[in-house]
Structure formats: structure tokens, C-alpha cells
Amino acid sequence: MNASRTLLSVHRWCSVIVSLNFIFLAVTGLILVFHEEIDSALGVLPDTGKGGDITIARALEIAKSAAPGETPLYVFKDDEKVPGVIFVGFTPDPNEKMRSSHTVTVDVHGQGAVLPKVNLEGSFTTKVLELHAELFLGGRGRVLLGGIGRAIMVAMGTGFAVYGPTMKRFSFGLLRGDKSR
């Protein structure tokens, strides 16, 4: 087998692998573009009340009353992804810190009610994100996707090597210009 046939074969098979991955990434990426709307429609995000916003200090007081005797670890608010909600993390044992922590969710509108537990980790779009970024394989999935990135580079390089000499003979856009459909 000569070099051009070998390059063509490598190009073909790398391109097949890459094409399947691109289709997969396009579908999961499309879902992730609309993750806020999907989470809202599936009821992942809590319904918050209406009215003026309470302060973070008031939200911390409300959360402390829901978790008496526990130590607050963090207060988190993200108006872009989870509007109208403040998350307050608590731990029963200050020495354990994050290992034994749990979250209290507070509505920032009106009087500031404690909301039911929000589980963003188990949502459909979180699972799609894990599939998109790691293929459900954790660190090994990232390495696999890195290998597919290298296959993209091999497919591009072999494509230039195989088709470059042919394309030098044509002006841009002239290939198949005289053939009608």
C-alpha cells in the first residue's frame, strides 16, 4: 500500500470516529443550551414568591431557624441560574465541615420562606452535562474526549495531505462548477 492510500484510510476512519462524536456533542449541547428552560419545565427549580427581596443576613437568620444548633458554612446566591433563591450550607459538626454538610434553601422574596430541598445534582440536564463533558466516565471520559480531539487533528492533517495537492490545481470554488444537479 502506498503512502497516499494509507493516509486516505487513516483520514477516513478518524473522520468516522470524529463525525459520530460531533453528532453526539451537538445533540447533548443543544439540550444544554436550553437547560434553564428544561429545568424550569421539569420542576427542578422551586417556585419562589413575589415581593421585595430580603437581605442575605435575614436569609441566614431564617436558615438558622430551620437548622438549629448547626454551624453555617456558606451562603450562595446565583440570580442567573437559580433566581430568587439563597442556599445556606450547614454542618452539625464544625470539625467535619463539608463531609457532613447539608443545604437549606431560602426564598428571597416576601417574608423569606424555607423551600423544599432543591436537588440540582439529580436533574436531567445535570446528567446530560455529565454525559456531554465526561461520557459518565469521570476523569477517564475526559481523557477519552481528549483522544477524540487528537483524532480530529489527525483527520485534519491527513485531509490536508490527501486533498491538498488536488485542490492546488483549482481556483477556490471551481471544483464541480460545470456540473449541474
Side-chain angles (χ1 to χ4, degrees):
M1 223 160 120
N2 63 15
S4 64
R5 282 183 174 243
T6 303
L7 285 176
L8 183 62
S9 179
V10 169
H11 174 73
R12 181 178 296 128
W13 288 108
C14 282
S15 296
V16 167
I17 293 168
V18 167
S19 298
L20 295 174
N21 190 55
F22 278 152
I23 292 169
F24 169 75
L25 289 175
V27 170
T28 56
L30 180 65
I31 293 169
L32 292 174
V33 166
F34 299 104
H35 74 92
E36 292 175 17
E37 291 83 359
I38 293 170
D39 281 346
S40 180
L42 293 176
V44 174
L45 301 177
D47 291 330
T48 57
K50 303 292 181 217
D53 288 355
I54 62 172
T55 63
I56 292 178
R58 176 72 182 127
L60 183 59
E61 289 175 17
I62 294 167
K64 279 183 180 179
S65 68
E70 296 188 10
T71 306
L73 292 174
Y74 61 87
V75 177
F76 177 74
K77 181 179 180 183
D78 187 355
D79 284 330
E80 188 175 309
K81 293 187 178 178
V82 190
V85 174
I86 291 178
F87 298 99
V88 183
F90 287 96
T91 183
D93 182 8
N95 296 327
E96 289 290 314
K97 300 247 183 222
M98 297 302 281
R99 281 180 284 222
S100 62
S101 69
H102 66 93
T103 305
V104 174
T105 309
V106 179
D107 182 2
V108 299
H109 301 297
Q111 299 299 314
V114 174
L115 298 170
K117 183 165 176 59
V118 177
N119 184 11
L120 296 175
E121 296 302 317
S123 73
F124 169 70
T125 55
T126 302
K127 295 297 182 189
V128 170
L129 176 61
E130 186 180 340
L131 178 64
H132 182 85
E134 301 175 340
L135 305 173
F136 292 135
L137 297 173
R140 291 178 298 190
R142 290 182 187 160
V143 171
L144 180 62
L145 288 174
I148 291 172
R150 288 179 190 249
I152 292 169
M153 300 304 291
V154 169
M156 288 174 53
T158 56
F160 289 138
V162 170
Y163 297 112
T166 305
M167 298 310 293
K168 283 183 186 177
R169 291 182 278 159
F170 299 104
S171 297
F172 182 75
L174 281 183
L175 192 63
R176 297 186 185 158
D178 59 332
K179 295 180 182 179
S180 63
R181 292 185 174 202

